[in-house]
Amino acid sequence: MKSVKWIIQGRVPLAMLTVLAGRGGLAKSTIAVDWAAQVTTGKAAGSLAGTPGHVIISSTEDTEAETLTPRLTAAKADMGKVHFIHLHRGGVDGSLTIPDDIDILREAIQQAKAEQRYGKRPVLFIDEIHRL
């Protein structure tokens, strides 16, 4: 059996889907922001320890300027390694919809990979996804 490699030891496996689910107000987004900061600074206690990486964030619940950037900054994230996906439909901010937005997601991953050395895949955080 193949051993599991971790991004966040014992919590978030590398190259696998992790769902952080629960009622509103339980700090799921705050936990995700902390994990993102750990990845960008190489402080994630797992297989990526010591190797800073890029993260991609798509969020419809929190705004980049008013909420996410201040939280990431407070968590000491390397903001040069944080990429945001912005979706606008008919003048309204939208959420990532799978499979409709797969090309947008693919482009964001390719852009982040181009900025990252050694061709490693970025870590993707999606706060609210529709029609998975």
Side-chain angles (χ1 to χ4, degrees), residues 28-114:
K28 297 177 302 293
S29 295
T30 302
I31 292 168
V33 162
D34 184 60
W35 289 346
Q38 289 179 42
V39 170
T40 65
T41 58
K43 294 179 181 173
S47 298
L48 302 179
T51 306
H54 287 246
V55 299
I56 299 169
I57 298 174
S58 174
S59 177
T60 56
E61 293 191 352
D62 297 313
T63 63
E64 176 184 343
E66 295 171 352
T67 306
L68 293 170
T69 296
R71 285 182 181 174
L72 287 158
T73 301
K76 299 187 178 11
D78 180 343
M79 294 304 293
K81 291 180 172 50
V82 177
H83 309 268
F84 292 96
I85 295 176
H86 301 280
L87 298 168
H88 305 283
R89 292 183 179 89
V92 177
D93 288 341
S95 58
L96 195 62
T97 303
I98 303 297
D100 299 353
D101 297 322
I102 201 72
D103 289 335
I104 293 168
L105 184 56
R106 184 179 293 118
E107 182 179 322
I109 292 168
Q110 290 305 319
Q111 178 184 350
K113 273 180 70 175

